[in-house]
Amino acid sequence: VPDPEAARRTCSDLLDEIARTAAPTGYLVGGRFTFADIAAAGMFFPICMPETAMGRRRNDAFPDLDHWLARWRGHAAIPYIQNIYARHRMPGDA
């Protein structure tokens, strides 16, 4: 039987590592945008669902996820994920 609390702890631990690693430069490897950033931001997209990644207001697409997103909102890695999408995601109409 899956243990949701163990999964939440694992996600939190991984987000802690991302936040620590990205803190000095805003990126995970070598101070520049790499596949590591793409992988991390993509993997953790469901934890913060950045507005800039959706091409429309998030709540219009997923109105029932506010409680889920609120659980992660204060984590130090969330700004990293949001910034990766804001800086490196093509506009929705491109």
Side-chain angles (χ1 to χ4, degrees), residues 1-10:
V1 174
D3 180 356
E5 190 55 34
R8 189 203 60 75
R9 282 191 308 272
T10 298

Side-chain angles (χ1 to χ4, degrees), residues 12 17-19 26 29 33 37 40-42 49-50 54 56 60 62-64 67-68 71 74 79 86 91 93:
S12 185
E17 181 65 24
I18 288 169
V29 179
F33 184 62
D37 299 296
M49 291 193 178
M54 299 302 297
R56 61 182 174 200
D60 293 344
F62 303 100
D64 297 326
H67 67 283
W68 167 256
R71 171 176 233 172
D93 56 47

Side-chain angles (χ1 to χ4, degrees), residues 19-75:
R20 276 191 302 276
T21 302
T25 65
Y27 296 103
L28 293 175
V29 179
R32 61 186 174 85
F33 184 62
T34 66
F35 286 116
D37 299 296
I38 294 169
M43 177 69 68
F44 289 101
F45 172 84
I47 285 179
C48 70
M49 291 193 178
E51 294 280 349
T52 56
M54 299 302 297
R56 61 182 174 200
R57 286 180 23 86
R58 177 183 53 241
N59 290 341
D60 293 344
F62 303 100
D64 297 326
L65 292 181
D66 285 338
H67 67 283
W68 167 256
L69 299 173
R71 171 176 233 172
W72 300 100
R73 190 168 289 128
H75 196 284

